Amino acid sequence: MQEFLTTVILLLSSTLRLSVPLVLCGLAGLFSERSGVWDIGLEGKMLFAAFAAAAAAYQFDSAWVGLVFAILVAVLLSLIHGFASVTHQGNQIISGVAINFISSGLTVLLAVGWFALGGRTPQLQPEARFPTVILPFVEEMRPVPVLGAIYADLISGYNILVYVAFAAVPVTWWVFHHTRFGLRLRAVGENPAAVDTAGISVDWLRYRALLCGALLCGIAGAYLSVAQSAGFVREMSAGKGYMALAALIFAKWRPVPVLFACLLFGFLEALSIRFQAFDFGLGPALSTQIVQSLPYVLTVVLLAGFMGRAIPPKAGGIPYTKER
């Protein structure tokens, strides 16, 4: 029984850790897409933010400085996306894809030029990473059967960005449903003309939504390189931005379902890591490849067969021209 409980807790703990960038990017996409701006560039923003966080944390020997630089880089990329697709009414998908391409190439180019380590940053020292947070009364609770192990090993023992990510979900829900900004944000994604008629700037609302998403993408990137890992390696986002978009569609653009969709995808990834050594009778190399592909295959299956009809915001992807 104790061994089974330990295995379950380890699997769930891995699920929480692997879900963090998905949750943050999913919420980032929620802000931008509910305002009517498709943001396929989440992957690129998170990747560039990861590089900026690792490079700054190495130079200044501070994880917090790395986080600030990660957010600034994500904000800059979001402003570029907004300038292209909101101000100049360009194609939002093309703008997002361009950000992904730029981030994929420029991070490696800068890493090679600055550090000459084949596209990665130097290994970060412990003081340049976010430390583990131990919640109060962990040792006192540990002897308690079941609950003690859950509190000590499943709830406690993460870095601060993990708690920030999951705290962002109720905050986002409250912003969307209980603030004037959230009400206007939902309205501009459905009927921007009505918002414009009320004397509210559609473009400014959409820029603010992109900036909220940039904040979350910056935190996600910093988590990848300064919290989960000890430095930046090329393409370390590994498609998580796209999986976050899939989770957003699966959740039908609602904050709490976004959390559960990301946890599901995180669980599938944790499960694949846990069972990579399992032999399917096809040889060790092929078995590992099969297990590693399971999260992506199951993501497609879930989206295609079990999601039902997902209705996006009516004004999503449509540039708004102010009536004269």
Side-chain angles (χ1 to χ4, degrees):
M1 178 63 183
Q2 183 61 37
E3 184 178 350
F4 174 76
L5 178 63
T6 302
T7 301
V8 170
I9 288 177
L10 288 175
L11 183 60
L12 294 179
S13 178
S14 297
T15 298
L16 295 180
R17 289 186 172 91
L18 293 169
S19 298
V20 168
L22 299 177
V23 171
L24 290 167
C25 277
L27 295 178
L30 180 69
F31 273 99
S32 60
E33 298 198 2
R34 287 300 292 266
S35 73
V37 180
W38 294 150
D39 197 359
I40 202 171
L42 295 174
E43 174 81 6
K45 294 175 188 178
M46 178 169 54
L47 181 63
F48 219 134
F51 170 75
Y58 173 75
Q59 292 294 336
F60 295 96
D61 207 28
S62 169
W64 291 103
V65 174
L67 176 62
V68 170
F69 272 83
I71 293 172
L72 289 176
V73 166
V75 166
L76 177 61
L77 292 174
S78 287
L79 290 175
I80 292 172
H81 182 49
F83 183 74
S85 61
V86 177
T87 301
H88 289 280
Q89 302 179 359
N91 188 293
Q92 297 171 4
I93 301 298
I94 293 176
S95 175
V97 170
I99 288 174
N100 290 338
F101 283 152
I102 290 170
S103 299
S104 178
L106 199 54
T107 51
V108 176
L109 182 65
L110 292 175
V112 170
W114 291 348
F115 304 109
L117 292 173
R120 60 182 179 87
T121 60
Q123 186 86 359
L124 296 178
Q125 299 301 314
E127 56 271 15
R129 300 179 62 202
F130 286 101
T132 299
V133 176
I134 304 299
L135 297 180
F137 310 113
V138 165
E139 295 305 321
E140 289 81 357
M141 285 287 294
R142 193 178 292 276
V144 179
V146 183
L147 291 179
I150 292 174
Y151 181 74
D153 299 322
L154 183 59
I155 299 176
S156 178
Y158 305 98
N159 62 76
I160 191 170
L161 296 187
V162 176
Y163 298 106
V164 168
F166 289 101
V169 177
V171 171
T172 300
W173 177 86
W174 181 80
V175 167
F176 269 91
H177 294 281
H178 294 281
T179 66
R180 182 182 300 176
F181 170 66
L183 175 63
R184 291 174 174 177
L185 197 65
R186 288 185 290 148
V188 80
E190 298 292 336
N191 192 346
V195 174
D196 188 26
T197 303
I200 302 167
S201 172
V202 172
D203 288 359
W204 177 227
L205 264 175
R206 288 180 169 176
Y207 265 104
R208 281 192 284 172
L210 285 170
L211 291 177
C212 291
L215 172 66
L216 294 165
C217 279
I219 298 173
Y223 173 79
L224 286 178
S225 61
V226 184
Q228 187 180 50
S229 303
F232 174 84
V233 295
R234 59 193 306 168
E235 303 294 346
M236 73 180 308
S237 53
K240 287 182 171 59
Y242 300 117
M243 291 189 72
L245 281 174
L248 181 61
I249 298 169
F250 185 61
K252 301 179 181 178
W253 293 272
R254 294 175 294 170
V256 176
V258 164
L259 169 64
F260 290 112
C262 291
L263 286 173
L264 174 60
F265 294 162
F267 175 76
L268 294 175
E269 187 174 355
L271 203 61
S272 71
I273 294 172
R274 185 77 180 172
F275 293 108
Q276 277 184 17
F278 188 79
D279 190 358
F280 289 92
L282 302 172
L286 191 56
S287 296
T288 300
Q289 292 171 353
I290 290 174
V291 174
Q292 287 177 336
S293 68
L294 283 179
Y296 304 97
V297 173
L298 292 176
T299 298
V300 173
V301 171
L302 288 171
L303 288 175
F306 298 96
M307 183 181 67
R309 188 181 181 188
I311 302 175
K314 293 180 181 178
I318 303 174
Y320 177 70
T321 303
K322 185 177 177 66
E323 297 181 3
R324 302 286 181 183

